Every structure is written in C-alpha cells, then in structure tokens.
Amino acid sequence: RKSIMSVKATVRLICPAGAAKPGPAIGQALGPHGLNMMEFCKAFNAETQRFKPETPIPVVLKAYSNRTFSFVTKSPPTSYLIREMLGLQKGASAPGSEIVGQMTWSQI
C-alpha cells in the first residue's frame, strides 16, 4: 500500500534547457524545502534534451513532505519563441512605441 504524500510546496522556476546546474537560483528555490538540487538538475536536463540548448523552460515543481519531488515542464515563453524566429537578441526597450521586427501570419 502506497503512503499518501502531502504536497509541501509548489515552486515555479525558469531553467535553461539541458543546462540546469546547481547554483544560487535553483538553490534558493529548492533548498528551503530540503530537496536535492543535483537530483533535480539531472532529471530536468534529461527531460529537456529535445529542446535547443539554453532555451528557457518554465517548470512547475511540487515538493512533497518526504523530501521527494515531481515536476512538469511547460513550453518556452512566447516572447522567446518570437525573438528566436526574428533573430533578435532582445525585444523592444519601449514596447508599444518601438518596433524591432515584423512577423507575418504565415510565420505564426
């Protein structure tokens, strides 16, 4: 019989695909819940191998009371995908009044 684990916390992160490493950003999010950063990084990197390296991937991680976790990866942010398609390093510094590129409906 499986024991019921209670969810201790839900943590939202954005990590680079295939390149997550234990560091301050991940440590500050996972450390207070007693989770193993290296274990998360290995599992996350294995899960995100299909993405272009360094693509920002949102993650919703559930920390359980017995110090285990599960996570779900989401699709990359739309703003990142648009910048990639247009070949831009960054978006407009004044959104709404500055145009940095154009897309057609067929590109969407």
Side-chain angles (χ1 to χ4, degrees):
R1 188 179 262 192
K2 211 175 189 181
S3 65
I4 297 176
M5 296 179 288
S6 63
V7 175
K8 183 177 173 184
T10 301
V11 180
R12 294 177 179 271
L13 298 166
I14 295 183
C15 298
K21 49 188 170 270
I26 293 174
Q28 289 174 359
L30 303 185
H33 307 295
L35 301 177
N36 184 335
M37 288 186 288
M38 198 62 214
E39 193 177 313
F40 166 75
C41 289
K42 284 180 182 177
F44 176 81
N45 290 339
E47 174 101 9
T48 57
Q49 288 299 312
R50 68 181 193 270
F51 292 101
K52 180 179 170 187
E54 301 294 324
T55 300
I57 304 293
V59 182
V60 178
L61 181 135
K62 288 187 182 189
Y64 298 104
S65 55
N66 65 352
R67 293 185 168 213
T68 59
F69 63 87
S70 65
F71 67 91
V72 176
T73 57
K74 306 286 186 175
S75 62
T78 305
S79 58
Y80 172 80
L81 296 173
I82 290 172
R83 282 194 322 269
E84 280 291 300
M85 179 173 282
L86 295 177
L88 301 173
Q89 292 295 317
K90 63 180 200 133
S93 57
S97 59
E98 180 184 355
I99 296 174
V100 293
Q102 290 187 330
M103 287 181 67
T104 63
W105 281 107
S106 62
Q107 288 176 304
I108 296 173

